[in-house]
Amino acid sequence: MFAAALSHMYGAEVPAYTTLVQVSAEVNADHVASHPNDERLGSLERVTAERHGAIRVGTPHELAQVAGLFSAFGMYPVGYYDLRTAASPVPVVSTAFRPTESDELARNPFRVFTSMLATADARFFDADLRTRVERFLGSRALFDPELITAARAIAADGGCAREVAEGFVARAVAAFALSREPIDRTWYDELSQVSAVAADIAGVTTTHINHLTPRVLDIDELYRRMSGRGITMIDSIQGPPRVHGPAVLLRQTSFRALAEPRLFADEHGHVSEGSLRVRFGEVEARGVALTRKGRELYDRAVAAPDPGVVWHQHFPATDAEFAEQGLAYYRGGNPTEPVVYEDFLPASAAGIFRSNLDADAHVGHASDNSEYSPDWLSGAVGTDLLDPYDLYQKAAS
Ligand code: OOG
Ligand code: NI
């Protein structure tokens, strides 16, 4: 209900998303008709309903509230992503909230990549700006505390009645709607000098869905069909190359959304109409989850100038060999039953952030004295970040 209601709201806000969802559904139906075997990666019904979202918050407190909210949907923080270390750094640290058990994922194929602004990193925020950003963030309330209390109660009870769920879901979704409140132009522009992501997170008093991503079984075909409709996609598909043999991990591509009308207030409080271009459309295809050993090979293959050319120097061509060599997870070790990758790829995430921004972040020369780490983020979230490899291992056994 939550994912479907978010999708409904986002479709009304970003019309190109509705086109993307339609084309994705067509690609999936056509693909399954000609490759029935690919439903082993997920039934047509599941794949077509499946989404990931992306949201961005400013403080550990806000992140803990998000954790409380998502716990009502059986979604828990999995993994740690530090996008500050990417080739083109983004001033955030992130995790992904998602169901953790195979049967829960089948019923609720939804995950939300959740980033927190790295205000303590002096390479992006000097002491003065950090103080002002943290003061601004400390005085806003993204969520009604009562909503988070209700969420925690639902999680503790293991569910709630449908009538309660309806109202609860509506309120949860509303927390992610694009706000009509005027944006302080001077403040927004100052933060934009640091990074467009900093402005998107801390330049406003609310949060919103940055994007919502449908899943397809053939992303190359999706790319062709969207381009054929005159929608300009970014110039590549991120993640593994298209290969013969098992599809691994996650392939993603995106297009920039149109500028959206927003209200701005100038320093005299005068409000006028302007626009922002921060949201976009993204689509993805998912393959088998790699073991740590498989992931090492993957990282080596994609470091090459043309990963597609060297792929088979690293990887075999069949699921049977992947299973035998311990490169990927299969249920009961059976190579016809891949465990699908449910997480994200840091390089693609940073690439997706970047390809949809007008300018890279401004990285200063100060040293990074922040202590962001998986343990730090666990503390902020208020619960341990789960290890994706443990979850895949469990799904496989
Ligand atoms: C999140 C970017 C990461 C993905 O698909 O890798 C992401 C964001 O833009 O806030 O969504
Ligand atoms: Ni995404």
Side-chain angles (χ1 to χ4, degrees), residues 192-208:
S192 301
Q193 299 298 312
V194 173
S195 129
V197 175
D200 185 50
I201 297 174
V204 293
T205 54
T206 55
T207 188
H208 51 258

Side-chain angles (χ1 to χ4, degrees), residues 52-54 113 211-213 252 280 282 284 344 349 352:
H52 86 244
F113 193 90
H211 61 268
L212 208 54
T213 298
Q252 301 177 306
F280 54 93
E282 183 190 46
E284 67 191 13
F344 294 85
I352 294 279

Side-chain angles (χ1 to χ4, degrees), residues 118-127 130 364-370:
T119 53
D121 189 330
R123 292 170 305 171
F124 302 98
F125 301 93
D126 65 30
R130 176 181 178 183
H365 296 292
S367 55
D368 171 22
N369 291 326
S370 67

Side-chain angles (χ1 to χ4, degrees), residues 188 196 255-260 262 275-280 356-358:
Y188 196 90
F255 60 86
R256 284 193 80 167
L258 297 175
E260 297 176 274
R262 302 280 280 269
S275 70
L276 284 181
R277 200 164 174 235
V278 291
R279 304 205 290 179
F280 54 93
N356 290 288
L357 300 174
D358 290 318

Side-chain angles (χ1 to χ4, degrees), residues 124-183:
F124 302 98
F125 301 93
D126 65 30
D128 168 59
L129 183 58
R130 176 181 178 183
T131 306
R132 288 183 294 126
V133 168
E134 290 181 351
R135 192 185 309 133
F136 181 91
L137 294 170
S139 68
R140 74 180 185 183
L142 294 185
F143 305 99
D144 178 353
E146 208 271 311
L147 175 68
I148 307 303
T149 306
R152 292 193 196 281
I154 291 170
D157 293 349
C160 67
R162 173 166 284 275
E163 310 79 72
V164 176
E166 280 165 3
F168 173 74
V169 167
R171 286 196 294 147
V173 169
F176 297 101
L178 198 64
S179 166
R180 304 279 156 224
E181 280 295 301
I183 298 166

Side-chain angles (χ1 to χ4, degrees), residues 119-395:
T119 53
D121 189 330
R123 292 170 305 171
F124 302 98
F125 301 93
D126 65 30
D128 168 59
L129 183 58
R130 176 181 178 183
T131 306
R132 288 183 294 126
V133 168
E134 290 181 351
R135 192 185 309 133
F136 181 91
L137 294 170
S139 68
R140 74 180 185 183
L142 294 185
F143 305 99
D144 178 353
E146 208 271 311
L147 175 68
I148 307 303
T149 306
R152 292 193 196 281
I154 291 170
D157 293 349
C160 67
R162 173 166 284 275
E163 310 79 72
V164 176
E166 280 165 3
F168 173 74
V169 167
R171 286 196 294 147
V173 169
F176 297 101
L178 198 64
S179 166
R180 304 279 156 224
E181 280 295 301
I183 298 166
D184 179 336
R185 168 76 79 183
T186 314
W187 178 231
Y188 196 90
D189 287 350
E190 183 182 357
L191 289 171
S192 301
Q193 299 298 312
V194 173
S195 129
V197 175
D200 185 50
I201 297 174
V204 293
T205 54
T206 55
T207 188
H208 51 258
I209 290 281
N210 176 269
H211 61 268
L212 208 54
T213 298
R215 178 175 163 198
V216 283
L217 290 166
D218 184 346
I219 197 168
D220 301 278
E221 179 59 18
L222 182 283
Y223 191 101
R224 279 191 288 277
R225 291 194 196 180
M226 289 298 281
S227 302
R229 288 190 176 218
I231 294 181
T232 310
M233 308 297 285
I234 60 170
D235 55 14
S236 62
I237 293 175
Q238 320 244 0
R242 184 182 186 88
V243 289
H244 289 288
V248 306
L249 301 173
L250 173 67
R251 301 181 74 212
Q252 301 177 306
T253 190
S254 64
F255 60 86
R256 284 193 80 167
L258 297 175
E260 297 176 274
R262 302 280 280 269
L263 294 176
F264 287 90
D266 68 15
E267 66 270 39
H268 311 295
H270 177 75
V271 174
S272 61
E273 179 97 14
S275 70
L276 284 181
R277 200 164 174 235
V278 291
R279 304 205 290 179
F280 54 93
E282 183 190 46
V283 62
E284 67 191 13
R286 290 182 175 269
V288 66
L290 296 181
T291 59
R292 284 183 201 277
K293 182 177 168 198
R295 181 59 180 264
E296 276 170 31
L297 296 187
Y298 171 79
D299 287 336
R300 259 182 264 157
V302 294
D306 188 344
V309 171
V310 299
W311 190 260
H312 288 297
Q313 295 168 16
H314 298 277
F315 286 109
T318 63
D319 287 285
E321 292 161 292
F322 266 70
E324 207 176 87
Q325 296 173 27
L327 301 178
Y329 294 100
Y330 295 89
R331 286 181 211 289
N334 174 359
T336 62
E337 290 184 55
V339 175
V340 171
Y341 190 61
E342 303 288 353
D343 295 289
F344 294 85
L345 295 174
S348 305
I352 294 279
F353 261 107
R354 176 167 197 226
S355 59
N356 290 288
L357 300 174
D358 290 318
D360 285 343
H362 177 81
V363 188
H365 296 292
S367 55
D368 171 22
N369 291 326
S370 67
E371 282 166 3
Y372 299 122
S373 67
D375 281 347
W376 187 94
L377 205 68
S378 295
V381 172
T383 160
D384 280 351
L385 302 181
L386 299 165
D387 179 346
Y389 290 102
D390 291 347
L391 300 176
Y392 294 124
Q393 181 61 53
K394 194 169 163 207

